[in-house]
Amino acid sequence: MFYEKVQNSAEFIKSRTKHNPTIGIILGSGLGALVDLIEDKDIIPYKEIPGFPVGSLAGHAGELVLGKLGGQTVICMSGRFHYYEGFTMKEVTYPVFVMKMLGVENLIVTNACGAINKEFKPGDLMIITDYINILGVNPLIGPNDERFGPRFPDMSEAYSKELIAKAETVADNLGIDYKHGVYALFNGPCYETAAEIRAFAAMGADTVGMSTVPETTVANYLGIKVFGLSCITNMATGIATVKHSHEEVLKTANEASEKLCRWVKELIINW
Ligand code: HPA
């Protein structure tokens, strides 16, 4: 049974750490530096956790880091699972189920993404205000276990307005610039075609990427509040004047990472 499997993973994690996290953090490509700010760390490689999928993308470490950040207890995924790696949507979102079982009430999700909105530029940070799941696949498809959440979960506030307001105040105080926008999920692993980007623009997307939406959907289902932060690493296909490369994505994300880390830490201090 899925519920017992999640319980089993959570019990294993509890046996390996003294921390009881209330805030979950998922780090996107090139944004892993935040783990360096976590103190009194307990590190658990995914491959040691019973029930956990195991991933391998460059730029993703593949471990859970539990510890203290900004006076709060956090559990941080250094490396996430993607649909394009061949994981099912249930596997992609498995750690969020486990976080819920550990007592997590809030989730911060970050990612690297391409900009469709021409007012954005590489290096910008964007508060995610909403998502579009272009894929049509959903991690909640299948039998529902009411112990986790309702059959038909509401998504009218996929990204918590309260957390967005808090993050805006914090960024304003730090003098960090930000955009707001809608994030569209594309399956990858190829980048989009120019025609796809025009279609997504017509749908109302400001950015496009290959992650975050499944975890956001499941967190909302589980009653976890979500704050989403995107790092624009490139202009999307057809808007960009050069071809995409993963190295360029990582490089730009790394450069923006210091700003993102400062923002997230201060947000947690002011939680
Ligand atoms: N498209 C999809 N995913 C991405 C992009 C992009 O342009 N940039 C970074 N992740």
Side-chain angles (χ1 to χ4, degrees), residues 4-252:
E4 285 72 28
K5 183 178 162 186
V6 174
Q7 248 175 348
N8 194 31
S9 298
E11 286 308 319
F12 176 83
I13 292 163
K14 279 188 205 163
S15 77
R16 290 281 300 265
T17 181
K18 54 200 167 296
H19 296 297
N20 294 307
T22 55
I23 299 177
I25 304 172
I26 303 179
L27 299 176
S29 302
L31 302 170
L34 193 73
V35 291
D36 299 335
L37 303 181
I38 300 175
E39 293 167 354
D40 197 12
K41 287 195 262 277
D42 289 324
I43 298 174
I44 313 174
Y46 295 157
K47 60 177 185 299
E48 292 180 15
I49 307 170
F52 245 62
V54 181
S56 62
L57 187 77
H60 290 266
E63 53 196 24
L64 279 184
V65 181
L66 294 100
K68 296 280 180 194
L69 180 64
Q72 304 274 356
T73 308
V74 301
I75 177 167
C76 180
M77 285 184 72
S78 183
R80 57 147 62 91
F81 304 107
H82 299 89
Y83 190 55
Y84 63 74
E85 291 175 277
F87 294 112
T88 65
M89 278 291 183
K90 261 285 180 324
E91 288 171 326
V92 167
T93 55
Y94 187 78
V96 184
F97 285 94
V98 175
M99 283 183 187
K100 173 71 183 183
M101 204 72 96
L102 290 170
V104 165
E105 293 162 357
N106 298 279
L107 180 66
I108 300 173
V109 279
T110 66
N111 62 51
C113 68
I116 297 173
N117 187 326
K118 292 179 182 156
E119 318 233 305
F120 297 178
K121 59 180 190 318
D124 280 352
L125 297 179
M126 181 191 86
I127 293 177
I128 309 176
T129 54
D130 211 345
Y131 72 63
I132 303 176
N133 182 349
I134 290 160
L135 305 192
V137 288
N138 190 301
L140 302 175
I141 289 173
N144 186 52
D145 190 329
E146 291 281 334
R147 287 174 289 183
F148 280 126
R151 173 74 291 187
F152 301 108
D154 180 74
M155 287 294 146
S156 54
E157 205 179 315
Y159 297 95
S160 160
K161 291 197 170 73
E162 181 197 335
L163 293 181
I164 290 174
K166 219 175 257 201
E168 287 168 347
T169 306
V170 164
D172 293 343
N173 289 339
L174 290 174
I176 291 175
D177 253 355
Y178 52 88
K179 312 283 191 203
H180 293 96
V182 172
Y183 176 93
L185 171 69
F186 184 69
N187 51 281
C190 61
Y191 289 96
E192 304 74 26
T193 66
E196 283 168 337
I197 292 300
R198 285 194 299 276
F200 303 162
M203 285 179 179
D206 294 293
T207 55
V208 63
M210 304 176 195
S211 69
T212 303
V213 172
E215 296 102 318
T216 301
T217 306
V218 166
N220 276 271
Y221 162 71
L222 295 168
I224 296 174
K225 281 188 193 160
V226 183
F227 175 66
L229 201 49
S230 284
C231 172
I232 314 289
T233 54
N234 56 279
M235 301 311 289
T237 315
I239 301 165
T241 50
V242 291
K243 292 194 175 183
H244 303 309
S245 85
H246 188 57
E247 289 65 38
E248 195 56 34
V249 166
L250 289 181
K251 184 168 169 280
T252 310

